[in-house]
């Protein structure tokens, strides 16, 4: 929602979990939906792939520059699904492993630990 936006973030384009990829590597992406047909599109990477329930489609990308790439679902996929945002973040290959680990296992801060003790 709008209240969740931080300074500099784009309305209707931010996601909770970005797709992390290593930069300067060939990547194969397998696309399938969990609900209805979608179309996974990131124009700045030059990719658009239909996501069809019960099917696996694949696309290949090679992101040459580190950075953040925005896209949206480009299928009319249903009520409350319109403009589903997609964010792909290309990170240096040397940082990729630690970034994925941090995304899968969020690090707790000292503050959070203190709150839990109370
Ligand atoms: Cu969609």
């Amino acid at each position: 929602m709008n209240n969740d936006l931080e300074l500099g973030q784009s309305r209707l384009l931010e996601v909770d979990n970005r797709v992390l990829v290593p930069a300067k590597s060939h990547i194969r992406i397998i696309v399938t939906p969990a609900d209805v047909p979608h179309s996974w599109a990131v124009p700045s990477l030059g990719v658009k792939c239909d996501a069809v329930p019960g099917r696996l489609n694949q696309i290949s990308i090679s992101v040459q520059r580190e950075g953040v790439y925005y896209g949206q679902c480009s299928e009319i996929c249903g009520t409350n699904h319109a403009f589903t945002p997609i964010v792909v973040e290309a990170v240096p290959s040397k940082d990729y492993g630690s970034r994925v680990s941090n995304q899968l296992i969020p690090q707790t801060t000292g503050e959070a630990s203190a709150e839990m003790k109370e």
Side-chain angles (χ1 to χ4, degrees):
M1 299 307 292
N2 291 342
N3 296 341
D4 297 331
L5 285 176
E6 295 174 13
L7 190 63
Q9 291 185 326
S10 301
R11 182 176 175 270
L12 299 179
L13 286 178
E14 292 298 335
V15 298
D16 293 333
N17 298 300
R18 292 178 169 184
V19 177
L20 285 175
V21 298
K24 299 183 176 105
S25 300
H26 290 279
I27 308 293
R28 179 171 54 178
I29 299 174
I30 307 294
V31 179
T32 192
D35 45 18
V36 296
H38 295 275
S39 185
W40 199 85
V42 184
S44 53
L45 294 177
V47 292
K48 178 188 272 188
C49 183
D50 283 341
V52 181
R55 306 276 310 197
L56 297 177
N57 284 338
Q58 69 176 10
I59 50 177
S60 295
I61 61 171
S62 178
V63 185
Q64 293 304 309
R65 294 183 183 166
E66 295 152 16
V68 180
Y69 300 84
Y70 292 93
Q72 285 184 317
C73 176
S74 62
E75 181 78 48
I76 301 172
C77 47
T79 305
N80 297 326
H81 282 253
F83 315 115
T84 304
I86 298 163
V87 180
V88 176
E89 185 173 352
V91 299
S93 298
K94 63 180 175 51
D95 300 338
Y96 178 71
S98 61
R99 289 288 306 272
V100 169
S101 297
N102 289 343
Q103 195 172 43
L104 293 175
I105 308 165
Q107 304 299 310
T108 56
T109 63
E111 277 181 29
S113 301
E115 288 174 9
M116 291 174 69
K117 289 178 185 173
E118 291 176 5

